[in-house]
């Protein structure tokens, strides 16, 4: 009998990642010339101008391989995140760091604890390594650290949390993070994803970067996709103590961050003016959406990120579809078990206003 090529026995259990609908799709589907995309938590200001300059000045050397160590980028990241370059690994987006963490530590049969309503790639990357995903309950849209502790077992190998969390926008305060870090046994990897940390306004939040020197089993994850406007270039980081770092570096492809991403990422990290503008735009936009949602009688989940979950009620899917037809792309949240909600990324003031205008007309 002919033997057929088979993928791993667990690969068919992996749910597909569902990205935000692209502008291109909506342009083609509805013939709309300039849709507004508020679906993927991208930076509405575009890339940092310093990053654009860096791309311009290095585009003629793209026939050369990039620095495999990403040293200048890591130095800039170390200055930004408050650690040393030896404790940083750079990735082709933070997705790649999530992948490294799973591939370096997870074996088939291991259990990985993941909160029920969070970034879907944790599950995909864990299942790809043959793990069993153990989902934990949310409490008022926030990650419930007691439920995480309750699900720890002999088989647990990793715990993922996003702080602040996507798609709920909530964050755990520094006391809860310390508690969680203390409750996770040392042989279990604790991944703390801070993709949205730059946007946090809560005084009770603190980055977990300093914890990597206290707990050998913690890796924090960071990205330039949101706060620094480089989603299309793909620049992310992992920060951890020496033993985790050593394992992650063993599986890193040699030239995983491309040359333009290295240069632009480095420039963007030093461009603090752009970051300031980004935060102002985001926070003003959030306050505007809160006020308008309240005026329209809609509930929302107060957010520490650059997006907000809005409770539209039973007709949420229809409202989402109707917004799409009008060229406003948001995210319908049924795939996260939030059938009544849409998630809206903060845009430019004119984009936020257009969203509210159309939403009001549709409701
Ligand atoms: C919580 C979280 N982590 C990581 C990522 C991945 O970001 P990137 O791969 O663009 O760095 C995202 C993207 O939406 C996210 O929401």
């Amino acid at each position: 009998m002919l033997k057929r090529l088979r993928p791993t026995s667990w690969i068919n259990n992996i749910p597909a990642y569902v990205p935000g609908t692209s502008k291109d799709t909506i342009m083609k589907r509805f013939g709309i010339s300039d849709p507004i995309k508020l679906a993927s938590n991208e930076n509405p200001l575009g890339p940092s101008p310093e990053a654009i300059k860096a791309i311009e000045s290095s585009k003629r050397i793209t026939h050369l391989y990039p620095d495999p160590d990403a040293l200048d980028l890591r130095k800039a990241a170390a200055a930004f995140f408050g650690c040393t370059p030896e404790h940083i690994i750079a990735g082709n987006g933070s997705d790649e760091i999530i992948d490294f963490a799973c591939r370096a530590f997870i074996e088939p049969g291991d259990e990985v604890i993941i909160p029920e309503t969070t970034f879907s790639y944790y599950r995909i990357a864990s299942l790809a390594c043959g793990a069993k995903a153990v989902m934990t309950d949310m409490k008022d849209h926030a990650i419930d650290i007691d439920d995480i502790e309750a699900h720890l077992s002999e088989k647990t190998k990793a715990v993922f949390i996003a702080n602040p969390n996507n798609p709920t926008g909530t964050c755990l305060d520094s006391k809860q993070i310390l508690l969680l870090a203390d409750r996770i046994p040392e042989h279990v990897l604790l991944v703390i994803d801070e993709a949205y940390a730059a946007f946090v306004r809560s005084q009770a939040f603190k980055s977990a970067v300093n914890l990597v020197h206290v707990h050998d089993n913690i890796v924090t994850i960071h990205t330039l996709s949101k706060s620094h406007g480089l989603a299309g270039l793909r620049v992310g980081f992992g920060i951890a103590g020496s033993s985790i770092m050593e394992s992650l570096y063993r599986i890193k492809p040699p030239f995983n961050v491309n040359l333009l991403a290295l240069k632009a990422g480095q420039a963007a990290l030093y461009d603090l003016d752009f970051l300031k503008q980004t935060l102002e735009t985001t926070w003003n936009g959030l306050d505007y959406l809160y006020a308008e949602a309240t005026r329209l009688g809609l509930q929302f989940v107060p957010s520490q990120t650059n997006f907000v979950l809005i409770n539209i009620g039973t007709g949420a899917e229809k409202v989402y579809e109707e917004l799409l037809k009008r060229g406003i792309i948001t995210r319908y949240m049924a795939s996260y078990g939030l059938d009544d909600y849409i998630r809206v990324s903060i845009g430019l003031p004119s984009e936020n206003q257009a969203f509210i205008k159309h939403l009001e007309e549709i409701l």
Side-chain angles (χ1 to χ4, degrees):
M1 228 192 27
L2 268 177
K3 275 194 174 173
R4 278 206 1 250
L5 175 66
R6 288 182 194 282
T8 55
S9 56
W10 51 82
I11 209 160
N12 291 328
N13 300 330
I14 302 176
Y17 180 77
V18 187
T21 308
S22 72
K23 283 191 180 195
D24 216 35
T25 307
I26 295 308
M27 281 154 82
K28 285 185 189 133
R29 197 189 300 165
F30 300 114
I32 292 166
S33 58
D34 196 12
I36 295 174
K37 187 175 178 215
L38 304 174
S40 302
N41 310 334
E42 291 148 331
N43 193 319
L45 300 177
S48 131
E50 293 300 321
I52 297 175
K53 275 192 224 158
I55 292 169
E56 282 297 333
S57 63
S58 35
K59 66 188 180 192
R60 289 188 204 292
I61 52 163
T62 48
H63 60 299
L64 301 174
Y65 279 104
D67 172 14
D69 297 326
L71 190 57
D72 290 339
L73 176 68
R74 289 193 293 122
K75 279 184 184 161
F80 186 85
F81 294 112
C83 62
T84 54
E86 304 85 75
H87 293 288
I88 302 190
I89 186 166
N92 182 26
S94 58
D95 284 346
E96 189 179 41
I97 308 291
I98 294 166
D99 244 342
F100 289 166
C102 289
R103 283 170 49 215
F105 291 99
I106 295 170
E107 292 180 67
D110 285 344
E111 290 182 0
V112 174
I113 296 181
I114 303 172
E116 182 67 41
T117 312
T118 194
F119 184 49
S120 57
Y121 194 62
Y122 307 145
R123 187 148 171 237
I124 295 173
S126 305
L127 294 181
C129 295
K132 179 179 170 216
V134 175
M135 310 308 280
T136 60
D137 288 344
M138 307 293 290
K139 205 167 154 186
D140 296 332
H141 297 292
I143 290 167
D144 181 352
I145 61 167
D146 294 332
D147 205 44
I148 290 179
E149 189 182 14
H151 282 83
L152 286 168
S153 83
E154 281 296 303
K155 290 187 175 169
T156 308
K157 190 61 189 287
V159 174
F160 277 92
I161 63 159
N163 198 36
N165 188 42
N166 176 16
T168 60
T170 52
C171 80
L172 296 176
D173 63 33
S174 56
K175 280 192 201 132
Q176 288 173 299
I177 292 291
L178 285 176
L179 262 183
L180 181 67
D182 284 340
R183 288 176 185 180
I184 305 292
E186 276 171 28
H187 65 277
V188 174
L189 179 71
L190 174 57
V191 182
I192 305 181
D193 181 346
E194 299 191 343
Y196 299 95
F199 299 104
V200 174
R201 284 191 278 186
S202 162
Q203 298 293 324
F205 171 87
K206 195 165 180 277
S207 166
V209 164
N210 287 333
L211 285 186
V212 306
H213 301 298
V214 187
H215 294 271
D216 284 344
N217 60 330
I218 294 184
V219 57
T220 61
I221 308 264
H222 311 266
T223 181
L224 302 189
S225 293
K226 322 288 176 183
S227 48
H228 294 74
L230 296 184
L233 272 187
R234 319 298 302 126
V235 188
F237 303 101
I239 300 180
S242 317
S243 64
I244 291 183
M245 266 304 124
E246 199 199 319
S247 302
L248 299 183
Y249 269 100
R250 278 182 191 275
I251 54 170
K252 181 185 94 61
F255 307 106
N256 62 322
V257 183
N258 74 70
L259 190 140
L260 296 180
L262 288 182
K263 303 285 184 192
Q266 185 189 342
L269 280 162
Y270 290 124
D271 189 355
L272 297 180
D273 283 346
F274 178 77
L275 180 64
K276 191 165 166 260
Q277 271 180 48
T278 296
L279 298 185
E280 267 169 30
T281 306
T282 306
W283 293 337
N284 291 338
L286 272 173
D287 292 342
Y288 168 77
L289 288 189
Y290 294 166
E292 290 297 299
T294 306
R295 181 177 67 78
L296 298 176
L298 298 171
Q299 287 185 333
F300 54 87
V301 182
S303 172
Q304 299 295 332
T305 64
N306 64 343
F307 56 83
V308 60
L309 264 188
I310 302 183
N311 187 340
I312 303 287
T314 44
E317 187 171 14
K318 278 204 184 119
V319 170
Y320 160 77
E321 292 286 349
E322 190 56 40
L323 284 166
L324 274 189
K325 286 184 202 157
R326 293 159 174 248
I328 311 277
I329 313 171
T330 63
R331 198 77 165 253
Y332 178 46
M333 287 285 113
S335 63
Y336 288 87
L338 297 169
D339 294 10
D340 292 352
Y341 288 80
I342 59 171
R343 192 194 67 192
V344 188
S345 309
I346 306 306
L348 296 171
S350 58
E351 295 175 324
N352 302 332
Q353 283 156 17
F355 161 68
I356 290 294
K357 173 180 166 286
H358 287 288
L359 180 64
E360 187 167 13
E361 283 171 15
I362 295 165
L363 292 173

